[in-house]
Amino acid sequence: MKVLVPVKRVLDYNLKVKVKADQTGVDLTNLKMSMNPFCEIAVEEAIRHKEGQPNVAGSHYKAGTVTEIVAVSIGPDQAQETIRTALAMGADRGILVKVDHEVEPLAVAKILKAVVDAEQPQVVILGKQAIDDDSNQTGQMLAALLGWPQGTFASKVEFAGSKVNVTREVDGGLQTVALDLPAIITTDLRLNEPRYASLPNIMKAKKKPIDVKTPGDFGVNVAPRLKVVKVTEPPKRQGGVKVKTVQELVDKLKNEAGVL
Amino acid sequence: MAVLVIATHDNASLKEATSKVVSAAAKIGGDVDVLVAGENAGAAAAAAAKIAGVRKVLHADGGTLGKQLAEPMEALIAPLAAGYDAILFAADTSGKNIAPRVAAKLDVMQVSGVIDVLGPKTFVRTIYAGNAVLTVESSDPKIVATVQPTAFKAAGEGGSAAVESIAAPGAGKATFVGEEIAKSDRPELAGAKRVVSGGRALGSAEEFQKVIEPLADLLGAAVGASRAAVDAGYAPNDYQVGQTGKVVAPELYVAVGISGAIQHLAGMKDSKVIVAINKDEDAPIFQVADYGLVADYKAAVPELEGELKKVLG
Ligand SMILES: Cc1cc2nc3c(=O)[nH]c(=O)nc-3n(C[C@H](O)[C@H](O)[C@H](O)COP(=O)(O)OP(=O)(O)OC[C@H]3O[C@@H](n4cnc5c(N)ncnc54)[C@H](O)[C@@H]3O)c2cc1C
């Protein structure tokens, strides 16, 4: 089956963001950008269902379950690098939908719906959230627009005939749902550990095709619905004190903080 | 103006998060109704009717709603939207699962994780793991939002809203297969007044249970963990506190052997009092801790238990 994996270019997770002095947004100038970690997990999952895990006895990943992996990114020209990373990991080809400003999850979902209509994948695997806007919306929105079932926050994905079983990380523990294909899956942290692309694979990825489109090609209006009023620094927590002993700690908790 | 709050419950009981989202709804203004969708959820509906300020409780009951799967929940909620200016969910795993489906169905751009309501269409939320605070104004005709319950005070009791039954939807293309939900006598992490969390330093599940859990029980606290501790299997996934786990804001948060990565801080930095026990005096957790103890937890935690026993009586 064909799998579509949307990938987002975001500020690298190791870096701390700076809020602009004029409160219009955050300053990303000259900062390292990387693939959103949850998207990396999505790419890895698709690849494992394509390659299988011949060296892992009893693995639920079966070679050939997935036959083609298409990585899509919606973003500026540089998002091609993010697609190249997915291709170097093992995706087969890429689609860049070029937009030079931020696109809200609803518009992203509409563009992805159009890509799904054109590509007809059986499954779309997305990250559960992007670590920049922390919205956690796109997969669910895409599922609603397509009328497909969804398995969000996945920690295990098992294909079984015309269905896929998805184990989900929920508040009380784990929940498993069976979804009729085609379906939407969003990844949580424990689904897998993404691989690093090897140098030969990075070289090979340079030859894999990337199609470049625009939202207009799909007739999608990407005008934002939410107006940014301002972006500010969070209130700073007052740095506390270091206590020297456990006794001093308990005394302070009881008599100074009053929380015991 | 009317606002619909989607209740958080497990059929048998209503969760406090519901009362907190009702407070957020009251800040939007207008009438506040609560939807309780479940299976044999009469008790939860009755509890929702007692929340102060609630006009009406809508109660949909049926086999398709027992696990509140996103597909039937969307089928139930989207048609109800016609009667409301805003639909609010708690920003827990259930609300996060369902709300965007409803929003997309209504062609509305959702506002995620609201921490303050400044007007009927103006909301505050955080981005970048809480390192920037964003105020947005929606231009959509309706609001669909998830609300961070820890940011709002629970609405009181004393209401006596009417409960109106509505029909449950049919089954969707997803079916419930099973679940592993841990039963525990400890308070629930998300709403707990005290939390004790353990990190990678604990080194094993046995050690986590031996060190973190007794300290939590002594304090009557919920147990949390860092991602590293969960990934390594020292603690179950639902213990994870942080940007991509649970957000907590207890009166007392004790971090044991946790370094204080920004992703972890995002989930606990609004706690009233933070205690950190870490053997590295430069660990970033000390920058947010009210009381930092530079020590090996192996000696410090048993000693702490001894001292606590004296003062807790
Ligand atoms: C996409 C993404 C999402 C993430 N989401 C989350 C999230 O939601 N929540 C989260 O927590 N993390 C999250 N992380 C991970 C985060 O970046 C950190 O890796 C993680 O929080 C580290 O966990 P830790 O503090 O337990 O481990 P470490 O950083 O390894 O810290 C262990 C600490 O224990 C101390 N220590 C060691 N031995 C002892 C001892 N004997 N006594 C006392 N102290 C000791 C050390 O000094 C050190 O400070 C996320 C990361 C990514 C990329």
Side-chain angles (χ1 to χ4, degrees), chain B residues 199-200 226-227 240-242 244 257 259 263-264 278-279 296-297:
Chain B
R200 195 197 310 265
S226 70
R227 174 194 173 179
Q240 184 182 312
V241 170
T244 60
S259 61
Q263 292 89 356
H264 188 78
N278 194 305
K279 70 177 184 188
D296 190 323
Y297 79 82

Side-chain angles (χ1 to χ4, degrees), chain A residues 110 152 190 225 237 256, chain B residues 97 140 240 269 271 291:
Chain A
K110 287 178 180 177
T152 52
R190 259 72 60 181
R225 307 283 187 86
R237 243 193 119 90
E256 189 176 89
Chain B
N97 187 38
D140 281 322
Q240 184 182 312
K269 69 176 162 40
S271 304
Y291 302 111

Side-chain angles (χ1 to χ4, degrees), chain A residues 10-79:
Chain A
V10 299
L11 176 66
D12 189 85
Y13 79 94
N14 279 309
L15 300 178
K16 204 169 159 180
V17 77
K18 285 190 283 291
V19 172
K20 285 186 192 160
D22 66 3
Q23 302 196 337
T24 55
V26 297
D27 192 355
L28 299 176
T29 340
N30 297 327
L31 291 178
K32 183 181 176 214
M33 305 292 280
S34 301
M35 189 191 297
N36 178 42
F38 288 98
C39 303
E40 283 185 333
I41 296 172
V43 175
E44 177 68 31
E45 188 67 11
I47 297 169
R48 288 192 187 185
H49 286 286
K50 186 177 178 205
E51 293 178 346
Q53 278 190 317
N55 300 324
V56 180
S59 171
H60 68 285
Y61 294 109
K62 303 272 178 285
T65 310
V66 167
T67 48
E68 188 184 16
I69 302 166
V70 183
V72 193
S73 194
I74 295 153
D77 264 332
Q78 298 92 315

Side-chain angles (χ1 to χ4, degrees), chain A residues 141-256:
Chain A
M141 287 182 156
L142 178 60
L145 296 177
L146 290 164
W148 290 7
Q150 68 189 44
T152 52
F153 326 145
S155 67
K156 188 169 191 187
V157 173
E158 282 181 284
F159 289 95
S162 62
K163 288 189 192 285
V164 57
N165 289 315
V166 180
T167 301
R168 310 178 51 232
E169 295 201 0
V170 296
D171 282 335
L174 297 170
Q175 177 192 67
T176 304
V177 289
L179 312 176
D180 294 346
L181 293 172
I184 301 291
I185 293 164
T186 77
T187 63
D188 216 319
L189 294 168
R190 259 72 60 181
L191 184 58
N192 61 50
E193 261 182 64
R195 69 193 64 194
Y196 293 101
S198 66
L199 198 58
N201 286 343
I202 292 172
M203 299 314 289
K204 263 192 246 160
K206 295 194 169 151
K207 295 197 193 82
K208 292 182 181 175
I210 298 180
D211 250 5
V212 181
K213 305 266 189 195
T214 67
D217 294 338
F218 301 111
V220 175
N221 179 352
V222 293
R225 307 283 187 86
L226 300 179
K227 187 181 120 205
V228 175
V229 178
K230 62 176 177 180
V231 178
T232 54
E233 296 262 4
K236 282 264 177 312
R237 243 193 119 90
Q238 290 298 321
V241 296
K242 289 231 174 84
V243 290
K244 294 217 162 51
T245 64
V246 169
Q247 262 169 328
E248 187 189 347
L249 172 63
V250 172
D251 176 63
K252 287 228 153 72
L253 287 176
K254 187 171 167 65
N255 299 314
E256 189 176 89

